[in-house]
Amino acid sequence: MSEVTNITELPFYFILTGIPGLEAMHIWISIPFCCLYTISIMGNTTILAVIWTESSLHQPMYLFLSMLALTDLGLTLTTLPTVMQLLWFNVREISFEGCFAQVFFIHTFSFMESSVLLAMAYDRFVAICRPLHYASILTETVIGRIGIAIVIRCVLAVLPSLFLLKRLPFCHSHLLSHSYCLHQDMIRLVCADTRINSWYGFVLVLLIIVLDPFLILISYGLILHSVLGTASRAERFRALNNCLSHILAVLVLYVPMVGISMAHRFARHAPPLVHVVMANIYLLSPPVMNPIIYTVKTKQIRQGIYRLLSQGKAN
């Protein structure tokens, strides 16, 4: 009877894993992690502050950029507590409820990243292919509705997977493979039929992870068709240069995503260190790189940062 009780009861905690094989060096490994988290927080906060204070940047492109910065900031702050407390203080336990909350926020913000990039691709399509109707199509009301739709879409996508996972018994080891909680990591610890979870995950991948980049590719196909068909060489260069920041942001998100998917699919027996490094690259690359990309490639953002710094010095 006690055996059955142990199987069906929910665990009170999970155990997080740091960098496999390098546990003795966690304090040194924490330095680059701390630097990356600092860059992400400062970079995305700066972009939000610049867009907020500069009235000239209250345009669709920059409003979507502020959504991307908010998403990156949320993703950073979701993983930071467990990662840094494990590397600094070797605190490896996380409560059952805390783990589920972290899963919810990590996957919601990850899906939001993809959805915002899709919205930004639509913004570029309208700006280049329908320039005369740009202001009338992407009004502040429409942008607000798109933002609300993105949040609702991602929350409704993640919640069912959590409800499906929570009803299952955890009777295997409570040891997770990362320094944060991921759905695919927790599902391994379940000792029941997970076919419904797998099918729902497959549908979710099709509707977000596959559909979003597919629609982004279509938008850029239409942009190329429009630019190559009508514009001069200088206009083509200017139009494609305006899209470069967004293209780089798309690559920063989807290249690690494809890499980690391929590793889970074809390199299951690879050393745990490989999977841990790839997962960290996937979760840290967009929040760290996006502010750098948009600061380097967008003149208006750079000018806004200079003005913000000048005001700070004057005060």
Side-chain angles (χ1 to χ4, degrees):
M1 186 69 175
S2 62
E3 239 176 76
V4 175
T5 305
N6 287 337
I7 290 177
T8 56
E9 280 183 354
L10 296 175
F12 292 105
Y13 62 89
F14 291 100
I15 300 171
L16 302 169
T17 300
I19 311 298
L22 300 173
E23 289 82 2
M25 299 180 65
H26 272 179
I27 194 66
W28 296 106
I29 294 170
S30 71
I31 296 172
F33 272 91
C34 190
C35 292
L36 291 173
Y37 278 123
T38 302
I39 292 170
S40 174
I41 292 170
M42 291 186 66
N44 287 295
T45 303
T46 301
I47 284 180
L48 286 170
V50 167
I51 294 172
W52 177 265
T53 55
E54 293 284 333
S55 57
S56 61
L57 299 183
H58 294 175
Q59 300 173 25
M61 174 184 171
Y62 301 107
L63 294 176
F64 284 125
L65 178 57
S66 67
M67 291 183 197
L68 187 66
L70 272 173
T71 303
D72 286 335
L73 201 55
L75 191 57
T76 298
L77 296 176
T78 300
T79 59
L80 184 148
T82 53
V83 171
M84 296 314 298
Q85 73 177 5
L86 191 151
L87 294 176
W88 279 343
F89 309 112
N90 199 34
V91 176
R92 301 180 63 195
E93 291 186 3
I94 182 171
S95 68
F96 181 76
E97 293 79 10
C99 202
F100 266 82
Q102 192 174 48
V103 167
F104 170 75
F105 285 112
I106 285 177
H107 290 289
T108 299
F109 283 123
S110 295
F111 290 159
M112 283 177 66
E113 184 100 17
S114 179
S115 300
V116 171
L117 287 175
L118 175 59
M120 295 174 83
Y122 176 67
D123 167 74
R124 293 297 82 206
F125 165 74
V126 176
I128 293 170
C129 300
R130 301 287 187 273
L132 298 178
H133 303 94
Y134 183 62
S136 60
I137 292 174
L138 287 173
T139 62
E140 287 190 6
T141 304
V142 170
I143 294 168
R145 287 173 181 170
I146 290 173
I148 293 169
I150 287 172
V151 173
I152 292 172
R153 177 200 193 205
C154 297
V155 169
L156 291 181
V158 173
L159 280 179
S161 62
L162 290 182
F163 289 134
L164 288 170
L165 182 60
K166 195 168 185 179
R167 68 185 177 85
L168 297 173
F170 291 85
C171 59
H172 296 159
S173 165
H174 298 174
L175 182 65
L176 298 172
S177 321
H178 303 284
S179 47
Y180 37 77
C181 300
L182 296 173
H183 181 273
Q184 58 267 36
D185 205 9
M186 294 174 70
I187 201 77
R188 295 185 305 102
L189 308 181
V190 171
C191 56
D193 187 356
T194 60
R195 278 179 296 180
I196 296 176
N197 303 66
S198 298
W199 276 109
Y200 182 78
F202 177 70
V203 171
L204 210 56
V205 166
L206 288 179
L207 290 179
I208 295 181
I209 306 304
V210 174
L211 182 62
D212 286 2
F214 177 69
L215 293 175
I216 290 171
L217 280 175
I218 288 177
S219 71
Y220 274 106
L222 294 171
I223 288 171
L224 279 174
H225 181 266
S226 175
V227 169
L228 296 177
T230 59
S232 65
R233 181 175 294 182
E235 288 172 330
R236 290 173 195 169
F237 178 78
R238 187 166 61 251
L240 294 176
N241 190 53
N242 287 337
C243 297
L244 185 57
S245 299
H246 179 257
I247 292 170
L248 292 174
V250 169
L251 292 175
V252 164
L253 175 66
Y254 289 112
V255 169
M257 186 184 289
V258 171
I260 197 171
S261 299
M262 296 290 282
H264 278 293
R265 177 79 175 170
F266 300 108
R268 292 179 183 176
H269 302 296
L273 180 62
V274 173
H275 294 283
V276 169
V277 169
M278 292 192 72
N280 282 314
I281 290 172
Y282 165 60
L283 286 178
L284 280 172
S285 291
V288 170
M289 291 305 300
N290 286 340
I292 296 172
I293 290 169
Y294 277 95
T295 300
V296 170
K297 292 299 299 176
T298 311
K299 182 181 177 182
Q300 292 84 346
I301 295 292
R302 288 200 306 273
Q303 290 174 342
I305 292 173
Y306 294 148
R307 280 192 287 270
L308 198 65
L309 292 174
S310 300
Q311 289 174 4
K313 287 179 181 177
N315 293 334

